[in-house]
Amino acid sequence: LSLSPLNFFFSNYQEACLQKKMRLCLLLLFIDLVIGLYDPRQVETEVVLPELRFLYQGKRISPWHDIPFLAVGNDETSLLSFVCEIPLGTRQKMEIHKSLKMNPMVQDKFKDGSPRYYKYSPSIVNYGAIPQTWENPDFLDPDTGLGGDNDPIDVLQLNEKSCERGAVQRVRVLGALALIDDGETDWKLLVVDVDDSSNATTWKQLSDIPTERIDQVTDWFRVYKMIEGKPMNKYAFNDKPVDAQHALRVAKQTHEHWQALIQGKASCTFKKEACWVQREVPLIESDEL
């Protein structure tokens, strides 16, 4: 699987920033700003039932593979891109579909085929995922000793304002919860939208999150599936979240697993179908670079 010029640029830009090679990072960031390769405000969605599809500058894109891992154009190399799937206060269990062409967002289903909703309560966070990540089931996480859940890494966005389903936000990673769900590693990044006007945007590290808020989300994700007849979820680290440095290390690891996937060095299936990773049209045509 060959990478488009756009993916080549982003992989080099992101790798330089993640490894704190600041001269190269800033140079590539300058190129990005001059050329205007990517602007999250230009990501749009359209409803083609039962799918929520993603577009960029009028072209169909994959929210899993085309939206950059790092929030391009930011002044903090620790900001990541976040795709909103389940807004605060809603129940529809929406997700980026791994095997459908172009990975649209669709509503998950129960085993009987009925649409899946949160039965326990409406969502208490803005829930979603970081694009260009993948929790590899064949990789035993060093913190849990278990394989990944086969999904992009999950995000608990803690701002008070509900996100719009399908919206792409720049988020700051504050920490993470090492959830263990049915014998699989299912990390939950704790983040805030840095472009919101609420008090949460001032949170810079894990200790800035109110203890009662951490306890609330920890308890909710421990028990929310029990109403569906499933066992209680567990956490590593004695139910305590890890800090931002640890969380970013985990996120980078899942980004590397995604890179292996699109390069054909790893394989992914979802509901007995191969995950869709081949893009027909690059996010931006090669002659625009």
Side-chain angles (χ1 to χ4, degrees), residues 24-64:
L24 179 58
C25 173
L26 292 172
L27 173 61
L28 293 174
L29 173 59
F30 174 76
I31 294 172
D32 165 61
L33 293 173
V34 172
I35 299 177
L37 283 179
Y38 169 72
D39 180 354
R41 294 169 297 184
Q42 296 189 47
V43 176
E44 300 176 323
T45 59
E46 65 174 358
V47 177
V48 181
L49 293 176
E51 300 177 359
L52 181 67
R53 297 180 176 180
F54 288 72
L55 301 98
Y56 185 80
Q57 297 181 346
K59 300 173 184 177
R60 181 93 182 269
I61 64 168
S62 161
W64 186 13

Side-chain angles (χ1 to χ4, degrees), residues 220-236:
W220 197 93
F221 282 94
R222 180 188 290 112
V223 304
Y224 79 106
K225 287 187 177 181
M226 294 180 68
I227 196 171
E228 301 173 13
K230 297 181 179 180
M232 182 183 298
N233 288 330
K234 301 177 181 179
Y235 294 96

Side-chain angles (χ1 to χ4, degrees), residues 31-267:
I31 294 172
D32 165 61
L33 293 173
V34 172
I35 299 177
L37 283 179
Y38 169 72
D39 180 354
R41 294 169 297 184
Q42 296 189 47
V43 176
E44 300 176 323
T45 59
E46 65 174 358
V47 177
V48 181
L49 293 176
E51 300 177 359
L52 181 67
R53 297 180 176 180
F54 288 72
L55 301 98
Y56 185 80
Q57 297 181 346
K59 300 173 184 177
R60 181 93 182 269
I61 64 168
S62 161
W64 186 13
H65 304 305
D66 287 321
I67 297 173
F69 172 69
L70 284 176
V72 179
N74 66 72
D75 56 0
E76 295 183 52
T77 58
S78 60
L79 297 187
L80 305 183
S81 299
F82 161 71
V83 180
C84 171
E85 296 174 317
I86 309 173
L88 174 69
T90 65
R91 290 180 180 265
Q92 282 180 286
K93 183 66 172 69
M94 303 292 289
E95 63 181 13
I96 295 170
H97 198 288
K98 295 187 295 293
S99 60
L100 289 177
K101 182 179 179 180
M102 302 301 287
N103 312 115
M105 192 177 295
V106 300
Q107 188 166 1
D108 194 12
K109 295 181 179 180
F110 289 108
K111 290 184 178 180
D112 63 3
S114 61
R116 187 178 173 197
Y117 295 83
Y118 283 150
K119 292 184 176 181
Y120 182 64
S121 79
S123 179
I124 64 168
V125 296
N126 289 306
Y127 188 91
I130 302 295
Q132 296 189 347
T133 63
W134 178 51
E135 293 200 65
N136 186 350
D138 296 327
F139 173 77
L140 297 184
D141 187 281
D143 294 318
T144 66
L146 300 168
D149 70 346
N150 199 38
D151 285 330
I153 194 168
D154 292 329
V155 175
L156 313 183
Q157 192 260 61
L158 303 175
N159 296 66
E160 298 174 0
K161 180 181 177 182
S162 294
C163 60
E164 182 179 347
R165 183 172 289 118
V168 180
Q169 298 178 344
R170 303 187 310 147
V171 295
R172 179 184 301 118
V173 177
L174 306 177
L177 290 164
L179 183 73
I180 299 171
D181 184 350
D182 196 22
E184 296 176 333
T185 302
D186 188 11
W187 281 97
K188 308 292 186 187
L189 297 181
L190 302 172
V191 312
V192 291
D193 171 16
V194 298
D195 298 310
D196 185 20
S197 59
S198 68
N199 290 337
T201 58
T202 64
W203 299 347
K204 303 291 186 181
Q205 54 193 355
L206 182 63
S207 59
D208 292 331
I209 307 174
T211 301
E212 57 271 21
R213 183 62 166 140
I214 294 178
D215 291 343
Q216 180 191 34
V217 297
T218 303
D219 291 342
W220 197 93
F221 282 94
R222 180 188 290 112
V223 304
Y224 79 106
K225 287 187 177 181
M226 294 180 68
I227 196 171
E228 301 173 13
K230 297 181 179 180
M232 182 183 298
N233 288 330
K234 301 177 181 179
Y235 294 96
F237 300 105
N238 295 318
D239 297 356
K240 301 299 182 183
V242 298
D243 63 16
Q245 182 179 11
H246 192 137
L248 283 167
R249 186 166 64 247
V250 170
K252 180 185 176 184
Q253 179 177 271
T254 64
H255 177 58
E256 292 170 349
H257 292 164
W258 169 82
Q259 289 177 317
L261 175 64
I262 64 168
Q263 292 169 7
K265 299 176 182 178
S267 61

